[in-house]
């Protein structure tokens, strides 16, 4: 019986250590470096596996580095992720930023019952629910009208105060930002 207790205790300790190592590995975390500091986003592959996979692939390839926050609306959200036209160091086109995607295919919607709250990260898309590609937005405040209409991919777990400092856009121009802030770098992990 004592051997069984030791075996169980050993297995429990191993499972705990393995779980802690997995949680710290940051497989489902991205870190966005902004001018005012880092933003850590916990991704949700349990509700949006295809979207999370695409975000991680783009981040891992450096595609999000130097991409502008092209649309930022006070009290609503900050939108970024247009790797086609939003890279402020390679081919930035202000008039087209927000209309592009990436070389990867568009994704089918992965709607969930997770609400859009302050810090929620959702995928941007056109009128077609199955058109999300690389662009995403971070909520400044709750947006219940988005619930079930846009794919939630994660939530800011650290650095929301840095998101709050992103340069705001022009209200009269649907939040378009002149000389926008950018994601300096985006990496998978913490």
């Amino acid at each position: 019986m004592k051997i069984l207790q030791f075996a169980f205790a050993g297995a429990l300790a191993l499972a705990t250590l393995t779980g802690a190592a997995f949680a710290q590995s940051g497989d489902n975390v991205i870190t966005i470096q902004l001018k005012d500091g880092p933003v850590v986003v916990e991704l949700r592959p349990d509700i949006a596996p295809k979207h999370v996979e695409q975000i991680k692939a783009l981040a891992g390839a450096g595609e999000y580095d130097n991409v502008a926050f092209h649309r930022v609306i006070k009290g609503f959200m900050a939108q970024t992720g247009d790797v086609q036209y939003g890279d402020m160091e390679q081919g930035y086109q202000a008039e087209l930023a927000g209309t592009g995607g990436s070389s990867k295919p568009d994704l089918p919607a992965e709607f969930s019952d997770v609400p859009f709250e302050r810090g929620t990260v959702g995928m941007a898309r056109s009128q077609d629910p199955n058109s999300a590609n690389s662009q995403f937005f971070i909520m400044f405040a709750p947006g219940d009208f988005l619930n079930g209409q846009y794919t939630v991919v994660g939530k800011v777990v650290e650095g929301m105060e840095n998101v709050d400092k992103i340069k705001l856009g022009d209200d009269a121009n649907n939040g378009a930002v002149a000389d926008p802030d950018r994601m300096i770098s985006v990496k998978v992990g913490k």
Side-chain angles (χ1 to χ4, degrees):
M1 190 67 160
K2 273 217 187 273
I3 292 174
L4 194 55
Q5 287 176 328
F6 283 123
F8 178 73
L12 184 60
L14 182 60
T16 302
L17 288 172
T18 304
F22 177 74
Q24 290 176 353
S25 73
D27 281 350
N28 291 310
V29 170
I30 59 170
T31 301
I32 304 168
Q33 184 63 45
L34 301 180
K35 70 180 185 333
D36 292 302
V39 176
V40 178
V41 176
E42 181 178 19
L43 299 172
R44 297 284 310 267
D46 57 318
I47 59 171
K50 292 177 180 153
H51 288 78
V52 167
E53 182 181 331
Q54 188 135 311
I55 287 171
K56 286 168 44 176
L58 291 167
E63 296 285 327
Y64 284 131
D65 295 356
N66 295 302
V67 173
F69 280 93
H70 63 271
R71 182 171 175 242
V72 184
I73 300 174
K74 182 179 182 177
F76 179 32
M77 60 88 219
Q79 186 173 333
T80 186
D82 184 345
V83 301
Q84 185 175 5
Y85 301 118
D87 186 331
M88 296 184 71
E89 289 194 350
Q90 294 182 351
Y92 178 65
Q93 296 181 47
E95 66 283 356
L96 294 176
T99 65
S102 73
S103 61
K104 297 189 175 299
D106 288 349
L107 298 164
E110 294 179 299
F111 298 152
S112 68
D113 59 0
V114 175
F116 279 86
E117 303 170 332
R118 176 173 163 75
T120 297
V121 179
M123 291 299 286
R125 62 172 175 80
S126 69
Q127 293 296 330
D128 177 0
N130 301 312
S131 64
N133 186 288
S134 63
Q135 293 186 47
F136 60 90
F137 55 92
I138 303 171
M139 299 296 291
F140 289 126
D144 295 344
F145 59 96
L146 300 174
N147 292 348
Q149 306 294 315
Y150 287 79
T151 299
V152 172
V153 294
K155 184 166 181 91
V156 173
V157 293
E158 292 177 35
M160 194 62 198
E161 68 278 6
N162 298 323
V163 174
D164 289 334
K165 295 174 186 172
I166 295 171
K167 183 178 179 183
L168 296 173
D170 180 4
D171 288 342
N173 196 14
N174 197 25
V177 187
D179 189 26
D181 285 345
R182 68 182 80 186
M183 296 186 288
I184 296 167
S185 66
V186 181
K187 67 176 184 175
V188 177
K190 195 167 171 184

